[in-house]
Amino acid sequence: MLTVAGLGVQRGGTWLLRGLDLAVAAGEMVAVLGPSGCGKTSLLRTLAGLDQPGEGTVAKPQSTAFLLQDHGLPGDLSLFDAVRTGCLPRQRALRSLFALPGASERRRAWHELEALGLTGCARRKIRHVSGGERQRAALARLLVAGGDLLLADEPVANLDGAAAVLALGRLRAAAESGAAVLVVLHQPELAHRCCNRSIDLGVVRDG
Amino acid sequence: MGEPPRLGWQQRLDLQTVAGLACLVLVAAALPGIHDSGRDLDHWANLTRFFGRFFPPDWSVLPQIGAALVETARIAVVATACATVLSLPLALAATRRISPLWVVMPVRLLLNVVRTIPSLIWALLAVAVVGANSLAGVIALTGYSLGYLAKFFSEAVDSAGQGPITALRALGASRLQAFRWGLWPEVRPLLASHALWMLEYNVRSAAIIGYVGAGGIGLHLHTYQEYAQWDRFCTVLLCILAVVTVLDVAGGWLRRRLTS
């Protein structure tokens, strides 16, 4: 599903990664580990197309969804509406000027909120919910958006142990439904518990 | 433990200090150019005699003033609504986040020109075109408000965070969708707050543009001033003060709720 060959990632003229080969198949969930500054976020941004690779090739499916590290949920939307915006790629641009998608998409978004334990704060504005609730809402939005390739940058950084396992479980379910999932984590024990395998960019870079 | 380095006087001069000193120099240079009439007048006696004619206010004119205040409020409400709607596309055209440079530069120049014209001049122009009536007042205040609202709105768009837009684009949303559901929710409270502020400002302006025939309570002010009926003039001022105070308190509360 995702094939990377000889990928090089630069930031500010400095090579963070060079010669990276990576393949993630449909149905697989792979964790990306490594120390701060080793290029995990830059790698995901490059795979998502937000940044250009310095060298190498990336072959990925057209429907790719990326959850950024800082979530980017608009503060003035309700948590439910913010999650529903995950449906926008499937809606016609002109129609979405006036309203978010209809009944079936609403049910899909609500299902993700239920799975992540967010129904109690669904009507509150994003600026009035906690950091952990915001993070789970951002993950819910990624799952609502869906796609053949899901990229998530530190999706559980603000969550306690149980909530993190629950959240990663939802990503694992998306993988088992056929998506390829690549997730940046700081906790090797979570990677070992929730993912099929992991790659350590610190080892890749030094190796 | 080492000692922190001592800064020389050149290093202590930051932009704020230099700007403050420059302002002092400007004021000191401008003051000698301010002149009075040159006659030996007792300014304080003139002031007390003049304001002595204001009190007590003549409350018998309240019914006429009430009707004129309603007209003033209508002018302000309609003008603010028109200006808000018209300024939105101009604001989007004036921000680099949405529009290319070749659109932004001429639009910003246009808005600068519009803002340069005071509301009284707008009123004179409008009265010359449509006559002395409340429509002239609406046109005048719409033109005047347009320049300010478009500037406020474009700055609100410029200062909004890029995060929500990038996040939606990263999920596969189009540029239009990212603007509508990423940027618009962030700037919408600010736009509402600016429009509310403009409404308060327009109520004050609408009270004055009647001086040149553009409707509202300004016509009463002009009439009472012409006939030196200062007690009635004072009544009008007090009524305007009451309306503006209520708007200020209510508007401030609403603006805080919108942007909290």
Side-chain angles (χ1 to χ4, degrees):
Chain A
M1 186 74 72
L2 169 71
T3 309
V4 172
L7 183 69
V9 173
Q10 279 183 299
R11 175 174 283 180
T14 305
W15 287 101
L16 297 176
L17 295 168
R18 293 198 84 163
L20 176 68
D21 297 322
L22 173 66
V24 182
E28 238 195 334
M29 180 158 152
V30 176
V32 178
L33 303 170
S36 291
C38 72
K40 301 186 297 298
T41 295
S42 299
L43 169 64
L44 258 62
R45 287 181 62 90
T46 304
L47 296 179
L50 295 181
D51 295 334
Q52 290 302 310
E55 60 187 17
T57 59
V58 175
K60 61 174 184 171
Q62 188 142 6
S63 67
T64 297
F66 176 33
L67 170 59
L68 277 75
Q69 198 173 58
D70 63 359
H71 321 147
L73 296 174
D76 211 56
L77 283 184
S78 71
L79 191 144
F80 184 37
D81 283 346
V83 171
R84 286 171 68 201
T85 59
C87 312
L88 286 172
R90 291 187 289 279
Q91 194 185 23
R92 276 194 214 125
L94 206 55
R95 192 176 162 220
S96 62
L97 275 183
F98 304 102
L100 285 171
S104 63
E105 300 284 8
R106 281 173 63 92
R107 278 193 292 274
R108 183 172 174 159
W110 192 254
H111 170 71
E112 292 300 338
L113 290 183
E114 281 178 325
L116 287 166
L118 290 171
T119 51
C121 54
R123 295 298 175 195
R124 273 194 259 149
K125 292 200 174 181
I126 290 292
R127 67 164 61 93
H128 296 148
V129 302
S130 70
E133 287 164 339
R134 238 176 277 175
Q135 186 151 54
R136 281 182 282 155
L139 179 60
R141 183 166 76 166
L142 174 73
L143 295 167
V144 166
D148 294 325
L149 174 63
L150 300 181
L151 306 167
D153 193 353
E154 298 191 36
V156 297
N158 289 339
L159 304 183
D160 60 65
V165 170
L166 176 69
L168 290 175
R170 296 301 303 152
L171 277 173
R172 186 66 185 260
E176 286 165 1
S177 299
V181 179
L182 196 60
V183 54
V184 167
L185 293 174
H186 275 304
Q187 305 91 326
E189 63 279 6
L190 275 178
H192 178 74
R193 181 172 171 176
C194 302
C195 302
N196 296 107
R197 59 186 172 95
S198 59
I199 63 167
D200 191 324
L201 288 188
V203 170
V204 167
R205 189 177 61 176
D206 295 338
Chain B
M1 192 187 303
E3 285 289 314
R6 289 189 175 277
L7 297 175
W9 66 269
Q10 308 94 317
Q11 291 163 307
R12 290 178 191 273
L13 273 183
D14 59 9
L15 186 61
Q16 278 178 326
T17 309
V18 171
L21 288 171
C23 285
L24 284 174
V25 168
L26 267 175
V27 169
L31 275 174
I34 308 298
H35 301 293
D36 62 7
S37 65
R39 292 153 59 194
D40 185 17
L41 298 175
D42 185 347
H43 300 301
W44 180 251
N46 283 343
L47 186 69
T48 49
R49 186 169 49 246
F50 183 69
F51 278 108
R53 295 180 196 155
F54 275 53
F55 296 95
D58 181 359
W59 299 110
S60 67
V61 296
L62 261 183
Q64 299 100 292
I65 293 171
L69 272 176
V70 169
E71 188 188 32
T72 299
R74 283 177 177 158
I75 291 172
V77 165
V78 173
T80 306
C82 291
T84 301
V85 169
L86 292 172
S87 63
L88 279 171
L90 283 174
L92 297 179
T95 170
R96 287 281 279 134
R97 293 186 83 167
I98 308 286
S99 305
L101 195 61
W102 63 269
V103 171
V104 167
M105 297 307 291
V107 170
R108 284 188 182 175
L109 184 60
L110 171 67
L111 293 177
N112 286 341
V113 169
V114 167
R115 279 200 308 280
T116 304
I117 305 172
S119 59
L120 270 180
I121 304 298
W122 275 107
L124 281 171
L125 292 171
V127 166
V129 173
V130 301
N133 48 52
S134 53
L135 176 62
V138 169
I139 292 171
L141 290 184
T142 300
Y144 181 70
S145 307
L146 194 62
Y148 285 97
L149 281 179
K151 179 172 170 64
F152 293 153
F153 291 173
S154 72
E155 286 179 353
V157 171
D158 281 336
S159 62
Q162 181 66 22
I165 299 173
T166 307
L168 276 175
R169 295 283 284 146
L171 291 176
S174 67
R175 281 184 196 275
L176 193 58
Q177 290 169 330
F179 170 79
R180 169 60 180 91
W181 296 102
L183 182 63
W184 179 249
E186 294 288 284
V187 301
R188 185 177 53 196
L190 270 176
L191 303 193
S193 174
H194 286 314
L196 202 56
W197 178 85
M198 202 76 236
L199 174 63
E200 294 170 39
Y201 190 87
N202 280 342
V203 168
R204 285 188 281 259
S205 296
I208 298 304
I209 57 173
Y211 250 86
V212 297
I217 204 167
L219 181 61
H220 290 260
L221 277 174
H222 189 222
T223 304
Y224 298 147
Q225 177 234 322
E226 284 272 304
Y227 288 96
Q229 292 170 317
W230 300 113
D231 50 352
R232 294 181 173 186
F233 192 91
C234 179
T235 308
V236 174
L237 286 184
L238 290 174
C239 289
I240 296 172
L241 174 64
V243 170
V244 166
T245 303
V246 167
L247 271 180
D248 190 41
V249 170
W253 174 84
L254 194 53
R255 275 201 307 278
R256 279 191 300 276
R257 291 293 301 265
L258 284 170
T259 54
S260 66

